[in-house]
Amino acid sequence: MSHVTTHILDAALGMPAAGVTVALCDPTGEVVATGITNADGRIPELGDDRLAAGDYRLEFDTRAYFARTGRESFYPRVTVDFIVGDAEHYHVPLLLSPFAYSTYRGS
């Protein structure tokens, strides 16, 4: 079984994005866990260690984050679809700015 972690770096400010709500959705689209990034922009454990293999989605509420920081943004939400397989840990970071984002499989 597996678990997921994430962190967000606000590339425009060069600092972690604290206070961003993130939802983890299972293959049916059901929300299985939610979290809010800490002062370091991280959610150290999203859900538990019992994620079965399959397709999952992280939904980052970027609209609320950018509104709170007083900036306009093109993306009200960022969704990242990924596959959980045999690994125990999946780290899905997000590099964010008001008009662009990037992600990768972290370690």
Side-chain angles (χ1 to χ4, degrees):
M1 299 304 219
S2 304
H3 72 277
V4 174
T5 61
T6 190
H7 81 270
I8 306 171
L9 176 65
D10 186 328
L13 298 178
M15 57 191 305
V20 178
T21 300
V22 181
L24 173 65
C25 301
D26 71 9
T28 68
E30 190 81 24
V31 174
V32 296
T34 59
I36 299 174
T37 56
N38 62 21
D40 196 32
R42 296 179 181 276
I43 299 177
E45 181 118 356
L46 193 55
D48 55 33
D49 290 341
R50 297 178 297 196
L51 292 178
D55 293 358
Y56 287 85
R57 169 178 287 162
L58 286 177
E59 296 180 352
F60 299 86
D61 183 3
T62 54
R63 180 191 312 256
Y65 170 73
F66 285 118
R68 193 174 56 257
T69 59
R71 295 179 287 163
E72 290 185 34
S73 172
F74 184 69
Y75 299 104
R77 141 187 352 91
V78 172
T79 59
V80 177
D81 294 312
F82 61 99
I83 300 169
V84 167
D86 294 337
E88 292 180 14
H89 176 224
Y90 290 87
H91 183 65
V92 185
L94 181 66
L95 184 62
L96 181 65
S97 78
F99 302 101
Y101 66 88
S102 174
T103 186
Y104 56 94
R105 176 157 181 200
S107 59

